[in-house]
Amino acid sequence: VRLVLDILRSFATKLVVLIAIFVTVPWIVYEQFRLADTEKRQLLLKSAQEQGRLVADGLRGELERFDPRSPRRLAEALQRLGGGGDFATKILFRPREATGSDTFFYIAALPAVTNEYLEQERSELRARGILARVRRSCDGAGPLSERYTNPAGREEILTSLTPVNTDRGCWVVITSHSTAAFLGSSIGRAYWETPEVQIAAAIYVLMAVFVVSLFADAWTSLRRFARLARDIRATDDSGASFASLVRVPELSGVADEFDRLVARLRGSADQIRFAAEENAHAFKTPIAVISQAIEPLKRSVPMDVERHRRSIEMIEQSIERLDELVAAARRMDESAAELLDSPTRQVDLSSLVARTADSYSGTLADGGPRIAKQLDSGLVVLAGEELLETVVENLLDNAIGFAPADSAVALTLRRDGGAARLVVEDEGPGVDPADLPHIFERYYSKRPAVDGAADGSPHFGIGLWIVRRNIEAVGGTIAAENRAEGGLKVEVRLPLA
Amino acid sequence: VPPDSGGLGGRASVIVVDDDALFRESLAHNLEDAGFAVTAFADGPSALAHVGAGRGADLMLLDWRMPAMSGIEVLRHLRKAEGDLPVIFLTALSDQVYEEAALIGGAVDFVDKSRSFAILLRRINLILGGIKGVRAANGGDTGSVTVGDLVLRTDSGRAAWKARELPLTVTEFEIVRMLASRAGGDVGYRELYDVVHGAGFFAGLGPGGYRANVRAFIKRIRQKFREADPGFDRIENYAGFGYRWRADS
């Protein structure tokens, strides 16, 4: 559920959804508008057709009486009927005995035009196949929606053709419009070709580009923030600031706050480090005086008096302890500072583990346990090199310490998703299940006290505790379990850089 | 028995520079009791004036943090004057950056001020002993030990790996010398620890604490070798026992 919510909230998802919306919306809206436009166009065409029919009806008598010797009469009748309209009318005639599709003659036109003009127009209409349709329409009226450019170079739309059949042949009354109302409509062309759709589309695309780029900008700014935040955590002084990287002005306030926050964290860390060194210095100076001042006493106190000798011893031991305590307090302060501002680097874990394991080759030669390593190469983590070296050494020391002489200690380093998985397995006795939860605790040691260690000293029980402390300091986890085959398995997971 | 200096024929002379009056006094007395001729100064300029006036010494114990002039500046002036007076930094500053700066600047050792006088005396004798050895041999080659690519100049406490100088403290130098002199053989934690603190010494962390201590030393030594030679792998772990210097095969 968490993952799903994260995906839903993520900027990238929203960006994808936004783009999807920007792509879909036009189709839906366009379809709606196109349907509305179709109705409007049909109404327009219908009225044009009505006009054509009225003209044709009005002319019917004149056409039936038509005498080729006096064509003026028809022209005058046309003038009477169609004059004052906002459309042009043309009358074509096809004699009954004519064959072929284009045997149409222009008989009259309103407004009047020259013969040459008519001839040009006729051939244009024929070329566009309109005359063929006119011929078919001798059998019935129909709307026409054909844009063409007339010989005068103006755009016109043929809006209707109405046939009138007489004894002599077929007459066709064609109306055409060239007013803005018709030219601006979608008649005779696709809806998207109309200027209003194109302007709307241009505005829409502009808006979409703007909004998407706004989103993308914010997104890249956030990603830069994230990357920078990681870089700032990874190195102690990269010198980079959030403010210098942000491109969206509204984010610059946030960036400044972030920079101030980082500066304050670093300042606190430096303050703590400084105070740690100062305090240690201040405390150590009197300790130094005491440890020097005790020297003459040591020589002047008769050493055969047991109590005197013991007193000196106790003072010396206490000074030593005090000195250790001062050093320990300093280390703790420093680790507190490192929590705030850890000087981590990119460490090639693979080569570090290999190098550390190789430094154990002496153990191998002496018939001790072997180290069998299987290491993925190129695994890089953010940590301190020394800190990780201690981890590997302590884990190996622990495993080798428990492993029988002729056995193998398996050292495995694998990439596991976004983490590096380091596993150390031995064939030793393992750990009592009741003790398993405690093996990473301080002063825990279940090693045979004296005779087990090669140099005859007891184990101190801090090795695995240090391992866990170091691993947790760099954001890793550690776990131990007994192997089914016997022996202990310790698994460390570190996030990859 | 007062140690004698090869140069002066009499007692070895030590210059102490420290701004803390109590420490200066107690240390000077202890050194005198141990047979040294001691001249103490509260600040760097007066000590430099003393050395500059031709009144040399066999050794200088130098504090780091002092008013007027810090110890590292005093050392810089000394080295500029081309004197070869060995300098041991004796300071309460413990960060590794100070140690490295001191050793690179030409100091022979870096000792924690709060350590016991016995430890300090041991370091002083190691250094003066090395110098004495060479002076006795009149500049001969007895002052240098070579193990493969490793050259240890016991006269000056300087070590070089593949002809590159290593900034080792006297203790680190002694650890390397012990490992290298027994190349191919194992050296236990305890033995190495005795090099650090002198036999029989126990740290405040209790029995076993010295392992961590020795490990920290080995880690630092390896680090210093690796800074000179990233492929350095001569110091091997012997799990549960100690370390060894891998011999040339």
Side-chain angles (χ1 to χ4, degrees):
Chain A
V1 175
R2 178 81 200 276
L3 185 71
V4 171
L5 278 178
D6 277 355
I7 290 174
L8 285 180
R9 284 182 189 141
S10 98
F11 237 88
T13 314
K14 285 175 179 158
L15 191 60
V16 169
V17 170
L18 187 73
I19 290 172
I21 289 172
F22 272 126
V23 170
T24 354
V25 163
W27 297 122
I28 299 166
V29 172
Y30 178 82
E31 198 50 32
Q32 293 300 319
F33 279 97
R34 199 184 58 79
L35 288 175
D37 180 74
T38 308
E39 280 173 27
K40 180 182 144 198
R41 187 176 57 187
Q42 276 164 355
L43 280 173
L44 267 174
L45 281 175
K46 212 164 166 184
S47 82
Q49 204 185 341
E50 196 59 25
Q51 284 172 334
R53 200 180 58 78
L54 284 171
V55 172
D57 279 355
L59 288 175
R60 184 175 289 270
E62 211 50 63
L63 294 175
E64 278 168 351
R65 291 193 297 272
F66 182 73
D67 181 355
R69 282 162 309 199
S70 54
R72 293 288 306 162
R73 282 190 52 164
L74 182 59
E76 280 160 21
L78 183 59
Q79 180 70 46
R80 272 198 311 277
L81 282 167
D86 52 356
F87 58 94
T89 314
K90 294 177 181 68
I91 297 172
L92 283 78
F93 174 63
R94 182 171 182 264
R96 190 165 295 281
E97 60 274 15
T99 52
S101 64
D102 54 350
T103 47
F104 270 94
F105 304 100
Y106 266 108
I107 306 301
L110 181 77
V113 289
T114 63
N115 281 340
E116 196 181 315
Y117 180 99
L118 279 177
E119 195 45 48
Q120 269 186 34
E121 191 171 71
R122 202 179 72 99
S123 54
E124 165 75 12
L125 293 180
R126 187 178 53 204
R128 303 272 297 262
I130 291 170
L131 287 186
R133 285 172 64 187
V134 170
R135 186 187 154 208
R136 278 199 299 282
S137 71
C138 280
D139 305 324
L144 186 64
S145 55
E146 190 78 33
R147 271 170 199 266
Y148 81 107
T149 308
N150 62 26
R154 302 257 313 279
E155 195 176 30
E156 255 180 69
I157 303 172
L158 302 180
T159 44
S160 77
L161 49 90
T162 316
V164 179
N165 285 300
T166 63
D167 297 340
R168 288 168 189 263
C170 172
W171 297 81
V172 175
V173 177
I174 295 176
T175 58
S176 67
H177 286 77
S178 58
T179 55
F182 276 81
L183 286 177
S185 78
S186 65
I187 295 171
R189 61 181 169 188
Y191 180 47
W192 60 264
E193 285 178 306
T194 57
E196 68 226 41
V197 172
Q198 294 199 335
I199 290 169
I203 291 172
Y204 185 85
V205 167
L206 215 67
M207 181 186 75
V209 166
F210 184 71
V211 171
V212 169
S213 71
L214 187 78
F215 242 74
D217 239 21
W219 188 36
T220 46
S221 277
L222 284 178
R223 285 174 59 90
R224 281 153 165 255
F225 256 55
R227 208 179 317 135
L228 182 64
R230 210 182 64 168
D231 288 352
I232 284 176
R233 193 176 68 83
T235 53
D236 39 2
D237 49 0
S238 56
S241 73
F242 285 105
S244 69
L245 269 190
V246 72
R247 283 191 305 183
V248 182
E250 278 72 13
L251 278 179
S252 65
V254 182
D256 287 341
E257 282 305 318
F258 270 40
D259 283 335
R260 270 195 283 279
L261 204 64
V262 169
R264 203 153 60 210
L265 270 180
R266 289 213 170 122
S268 321
D270 288 347
Q271 202 68 45
I272 291 172
R273 287 198 183 99
F274 179 72
E277 186 73 55
E278 282 303 301
N279 287 342
H281 188 270
F283 284 122
K284 274 181 169 240
T285 306
I287 293 174
V289 174
I290 298 174
S291 64
Q292 292 303 323
I294 202 173
E295 281 301 312
L297 290 181
K298 246 161 84 177
R299 281 193 299 276
S300 61
V301 166
M303 280 301 154
D304 50 335
V305 182
E306 172 63 21
R307 276 199 57 195
H308 293 177
R309 194 184 60 78
R310 186 68 192 131
S311 285
I312 296 286
E313 252 178 39
M314 284 192 288
I315 293 173
E316 276 192 315
Q317 278 178 16
S318 297
I319 290 171
E320 193 65 45
R321 185 172 297 171
L322 204 54
D323 198 33
E324 293 281 351
L325 285 173
V326 170
R330 179 175 173 278
R331 277 197 299 273
M332 273 168 76
D333 282 350
E334 274 186 347
S335 59
E338 284 189 8
L339 276 183
L340 291 178
D341 175 25
S342 54
T344 47
R345 298 262 177 285
Q346 300 223 326
V347 177
D348 185 342
L349 185 63
S350 304
S351 64
L352 182 138
V353 171
R355 195 176 62 215
T356 310
D358 289 344
S359 77
Y360 281 86
S361 60
T363 312
L364 213 154
D366 282 25
R370 305 180 307 282
I371 296 176
K373 55 179 201 278
Q374 279 192 304
L375 312 175
D376 281 0
S377 62
L379 296 187
V380 177
V381 297
L382 287 177
E385 190 147 328
E386 201 169 322
L387 181 150
L388 287 181
E389 206 174 285
T390 306
V391 166
V392 180
E393 267 186 11
N394 287 9
L395 286 178
L396 283 176
D397 279 354
N398 192 64
I400 291 169
F402 283 107
D406 55 349
S407 70
V409 169
L411 177 67
T412 319
L413 179 66
R414 288 270 177 268
R415 179 190 297 273
D416 186 2
R421 198 161 61 92
L422 179 71
V423 181
V424 180
E425 292 165 291
D426 64 60
E427 298 173 14
V431 175
D432 185 333
D435 288 330
L436 257 183
H438 306 295
I439 63 166
F440 296 113
E441 285 170 14
R442 199 169 182 175
Y443 306 129
Y444 170 86
S445 179
K446 281 283 164 152
R447 209 179 284 262
V450 174
D451 35 312
D455 57 349
S457 69
H459 282 268
F460 199 47
I462 57 172
L464 290 181
W465 173 74
I466 289 174
V467 169
R468 186 179 68 176
R469 193 198 61 183
N470 287 2
I471 288 300
E472 290 179 351
V474 293
T477 56
I478 186 164
E481 62 182 53
N482 283 313
R483 300 168 65 225
E485 309 90 327
L488 187 70
K489 171 184 174 183
V490 180
E491 181 172 326
V492 170
R493 289 177 69 90
L494 288 170
L496 290 172
Chain B
V1 182
D4 52 31
S5 128
L8 296 172
R11 298 189 300 164
S13 61
V14 176
I15 294 175
V16 174
V17 190
D18 198 304
D19 62 319
D20 189 278
L22 292 181
F23 183 75
R24 206 165 57 232
E25 182 190 336
S26 54
L27 177 63
H29 284 152
N30 285 343
L31 286 169
E32 277 164 2
D33 289 351
F36 294 96
V38 182
T39 325
F41 298 95
D43 56 54
S46 52
L48 285 173
H50 175 83
V51 175
R55 285 178 296 237
D58 297 304
L59 187 69
M60 181 184 275
L61 299 178
L62 187 57
D63 189 20
W64 188 294
R65 194 173 283 180
M66 292 180 291
M69 190 186 269
S70 75
I72 196 78
E73 281 177 80
V74 174
L75 178 64
R76 214 168 286 141
H77 278 100
L78 276 178
R79 289 295 165 259
K80 223 181 277 171
E82 289 179 23
D84 59 352
L85 174 62
V87 171
I88 295 178
F89 262 97
L90 191 59
T91 171
L93 295 172
S94 46
D95 201 290
Q96 209 175 330
V97 296
Y98 296 110
E99 183 192 295
E100 271 173 31
L103 295 174
I104 287 166
V108 288
D109 205 358
F110 190 92
V111 181
D112 192 341
K113 205 184 206 176
S114 54
R115 288 276 170 228
S116 73
F117 182 69
I119 288 177
L120 177 63
L121 194 60
R122 205 176 137 72
R123 305 279 190 98
I124 291 173
N125 284 333
L126 276 170
I127 290 160
L128 290 180
I131 293 163
K132 201 176 111 187
V134 171
R135 287 194 180 157
N138 212 7
D141 55 9
T142 52
S144 140
V145 176
T146 302
V147 182
D149 288 329
L150 179 71
V151 178
L152 299 169
R153 288 198 304 278
T154 46
D155 54 331
S156 58
R158 293 285 168 191
W161 172 253
K162 293 188 174 170
R164 291 194 61 178
E165 188 84 12
L166 302 167
L168 298 183
T169 65
V170 166
T171 306
E172 289 163 352
F173 180 86
E174 289 303 319
I175 289 175
V176 171
R177 180 153 77 167
M178 174 168 259
L179 288 169
S181 67
R182 282 158 57 180
D186 306 320
V187 185
Y189 290 116
R190 183 73 237 186
E191 281 177 277
L192 291 170
Y193 191 72
D194 289 344
V195 171
V196 178
H197 289 289
F201 185 86
F202 275 97
L205 272 173
Y210 65 84
R211 283 165 175 276
N213 206 319
V214 169
R215 226 175 247 171
F217 269 106
I218 294 289
K219 209 155 277 175
R220 274 183 172 196
I221 291 169
R222 275 184 183 149
Q223 215 174 323
K224 286 176 177 178
F225 270 93
R226 272 187 211 136
E227 269 160 29
D229 170 18
F232 176 79
D233 61 351
R234 282 307 169 103
I235 301 177
E236 297 182 332
N237 295 42
Y238 184 28
F241 181 78
Y243 297 92
R244 77 167 90 190
W245 183 274
R246 186 159 54 78
D248 285 307
S249 48

